[in-house]
Structures are given as C-alpha cells and as structure tokens.
Amino acid sequence: MLASRRQSLEWDAAYQEILLRLDREGFLSGIISVGAAFPDFVLPNAEGRLVALADHLTLGPVVLSFFRGEWCPFCKLTLTALTEALPRIEAVGASLLALTPETGGLPLSMKKRHGASFEVLADVDFGVGLTAGVVFKIPKLYRSRLISSGLDFPQRHGNAAWCLPVPATFIIAPDGRIAWRFVDVDFSHRAEPDDIVAAIPRV
C-alpha cells in the first residue's frame, strides 16, 4: 500500500514532509516514556458509554493503541491484526483499548466493520493523545491532500484543529505505569501483535 501511495508525487511529497518535520522537531522525545504513569482518563466508547482507564487497570494490564481512523488503510490492517490477536492478549490477563480522534458514529462503524469486541474510544479533542505527546499538527501539504481526497476532519473530529496521532501503542501495568511502548512518526510502521503479547507483564 505504501509503495502504491508513493507512486503519486503529491502524496509522496506530503508524506516526506511529515517525516522530515517531526524528525527535525524531535517529536519522539516528547512522547511519554516507559516507567512514567500514563494519564488517567474517562472517554466515551463506540456505544456512547463512558469508559475509565482506572477501571480496566483493576482487572490487569491494558494495551492501549492510537489510531488515525477508518479512512487510514494502515489503521484498518492494524485493527484487523489486533482483533485476531485479542484472544492471546486476554489469555495473559490484559485488555485492549483503541483510541481514535474520530467522533459521532465513526468509532462504532469502525468497531462493527472489524468485528471487534474490544473497546473503541473517542479521544475527544485529542485530550489523551496530547497529554501522552503523540498528537501532531498536520502540515499544510498533507492537509491539502486529505481535503482533495474528500476527508472532512472538522466533521470527523468534531473540531477544526487538523491534528492526528502518530502510530503509538502502550502497555500499561496495573499500577498505571507504562511497561512497554511502540511509537513511530512513520504511519506505515505499527506494533506487531506478537511483540505486544510478548511484552505484556504477567500478573
């Protein structure tokens, strides 16, 4: 998929701009690190009910993964892979939470499309992502490509911030501290399910 997208000079230029800008700004250094306490939160799930991180941590470790949205082909592949890996994640006593900046009926649509039984949460106004340091402002060139593709982020996100999270997955131990993380500024790079399962602390 990445090779196909990069055949377009416009998309490739926009893609390279993101990588160069985030690298130049030292973006990864600002992301919450292993050993730190992950910020507690309460967010609406796909069905409209409030879900608290603290409640899940009382049951065991939490795998928390940020997604850009159903429009992203790499996110769709990752969601499918995590849906398939969920039995292995739950077998070691962990739960899975997927966070997306998309609001309204989009999280539920995404959940149904993948047949996911884990929680899909709307990170309203990027609150959790900003606190964790995984959200960036979309550069103008990439923004123009998204608009030309018909993506209305103010409508999808419920705000006009034009931001997105980078690929990021955290494993949070029951004490609330980060036991493992995967972060990358390249949206085609994602945490491998096998690595996630192997890194979950056994409690």
Side-chain angles (χ1 to χ4, degrees), residues 61-63 88-90 92-94 171 180 195-202:
V62 169
V63 177
R88 292 192 289 146
I89 291 172
E90 293 180 335
V92 293
I171 295 177
W180 180 91
D195 295 338
I196 293 172
V197 173
I200 295 172
R202 273 51 173 177

Side-chain angles (χ1 to χ4, degrees), residues 134-165:
V134 302
V135 171
F136 69 96
K137 186 78 172 178
I138 301 172
K140 289 183 179 179
L141 187 56
Y142 191 58
R143 175 175 169 175
S144 68
R145 297 308 307 158
L146 293 170
I147 293 173
S148 68
S149 297
L151 287 168
D152 184 351
F153 276 14
Q155 188 276 328
R156 299 180 77 94
H157 294 169
N159 61 66
W162 283 94
C163 293
L164 282 174

Side-chain angles (χ1 to χ4, degrees), residues 62-138:
V62 169
V63 177
L64 187 150
S65 194
F66 287 88
F67 294 89
R68 305 197 304 170
E70 181 69 13
W71 59 270
C72 169
F74 300 99
C75 292
K76 289 194 287 188
L77 280 176
T78 304
L79 282 165
T80 297
L82 288 177
T83 298
E84 294 173 354
L86 184 61
R88 292 192 289 146
I89 291 172
E90 293 180 335
V92 293
S95 57
L96 174 62
L97 302 177
L99 272 64
T100 175
E102 303 208 302
T103 58
L106 294 174
L108 181 57
S109 175
M110 180 170 68
K111 184 174 181 178
K112 287 182 175 179
R113 190 169 290 116
H114 291 274
S117 59
F118 52 83
E119 294 282 16
V120 177
L121 309 180
D123 188 14
V124 180
D125 291 336
F126 311 98
V128 178
L130 285 168
T131 305
V134 302
V135 171
F136 69 96
K137 186 78 172 178
I138 301 172

